[in-house]
Amino acid sequence: MTDGIPTNDGITMTNAVIECILARSAAKYYDPAATLSDDQIRELVRIGTTAPTSFHLQNWRFIAVRTPEAKARLRPIAWDQPAITEAAVTFIVCGQLADASVIPGRLAPLVEAGIMPAKMVPDWEIPARDLYMEYPQRQRDEAVRSGTFGAAAMVYAAGSLGLGSTPMIGFDAEAVHREFGLAEDEVPVMLLSVGPVRAGNWPQKPRRPVAEVLELA
């Protein structure tokens, strides 16, 4: 028997991680008086950065909008969504354009820890350079993928801690880029509000049947 997978008798086994995933729902109503400490915010980001990235690029950055002043700057350029000011923190999830030149530095801790032999580093850097260097769309696609993976990890980490979360794409990307000083190679992938919630939030909405979305090849 495997946790989360139906056994031959049709009974689905589960565990705390799967229960957290299945219970997740985007929060609409937050407790506006609640806050998260900077250490709690750092921990959420630390967990987020354990998500996978291509070639170990780790091409992301997270701006934690948590002061009243910063929230007031963000809300007007984020479709005036209440979560921006009511949630304890809203992360601007930034993906960075894929750049193979950073790979040796990103892999150095693996080499120092004895996980990867140094002679293997070019085996990662060279194909990454071929994949991305002359392809701007691929660079951007990788930025969006990485930012999304990181945000998803933070969503489930927040849920496991009893916090609500709301991923949002309703914002003026150019204004966010300008107002919060994103670098030229950074893409604002999404906003992610996180914090204690108040009453009124819906449970997870029903999903399409697996039969409609799965093909067994």
Side-chain angles (χ1 to χ4, degrees), residues 106-121:
R106 301 285 157 83
L107 295 180
L110 282 74
V111 174
E112 293 169 5
I115 297 171
M116 168 184 280
K119 65 181 181 180
M120 188 181 290
V121 172

Side-chain angles (χ1 to χ4, degrees), residues 3 119 133 171 183 205:
D3 285 353
K119 65 181 181 180
M133 182 175 288
F171 60 91
K205 297 179 286 295

Side-chain angles (χ1 to χ4, degrees), residues 81-124:
Q81 296 180 80
I84 303 297
T85 50
E86 293 183 1
V89 60
T90 294
F91 295 96
I92 302 173
V93 180
C94 306
Q96 298 168 331
L97 301 180
D99 177 6
S101 70
V102 307
I103 289 177
R106 301 285 157 83
L107 295 180
L110 282 74
V111 174
E112 293 169 5
I115 297 171
M116 168 184 280
K119 65 181 181 180
M120 188 181 290
V121 172
D123 295 340
W124 289 41

Side-chain angles (χ1 to χ4, degrees), residues 40-191:
Q40 288 174 307
I41 291 170
R42 291 188 186 97
E43 183 64 4
L44 284 171
V45 171
R46 186 191 69 81
I47 295 168
T49 60
T50 65
T53 57
S54 181
F55 296 100
H56 204 53
L57 284 168
Q58 304 173 78
N59 52 322
W60 42 35
R61 190 165 71 92
F62 304 86
I63 301 172
V65 178
R66 84 245 194 274
T67 66
E69 295 77 14
K71 292 177 179 181
R73 288 163 54 205
L74 180 58
R75 181 163 170 170
I77 56 178
W79 295 10
D80 198 34
Q81 296 180 80
I84 303 297
T85 50
E86 293 183 1
V89 60
T90 294
F91 295 96
I92 302 173
V93 180
C94 306
Q96 298 168 331
L97 301 180
D99 177 6
S101 70
V102 307
I103 289 177
R106 301 285 157 83
L107 295 180
L110 282 74
V111 174
E112 293 169 5
I115 297 171
M116 168 184 280
K119 65 181 181 180
M120 188 181 290
V121 172
D123 295 340
W124 289 41
E125 182 184 6
I126 293 170
R129 187 166 59 235
D130 294 341
L131 181 62
Y132 299 121
M133 182 175 288
E134 302 298 329
Y135 301 94
Q137 186 62 51
R138 291 180 185 173
Q139 295 172 23
R140 191 181 191 284
D141 289 348
E142 205 59 69
V144 173
R145 270 192 289 268
S146 295
T148 302
F149 274 133
M154 293 166 69
V155 163
Y156 294 119
S160 74
L161 297 171
L163 302 172
S165 63
T166 312
M168 295 176 284
I169 60 169
F171 60 91
D172 182 333
E174 292 183 2
V176 168
H177 203 288
R178 180 175 59 252
E179 182 68 26
F180 288 88
L182 273 64
E184 186 175 345
D185 71 337
E186 291 182 324
V187 178
V189 175
M190 71 178 75
L191 305 179

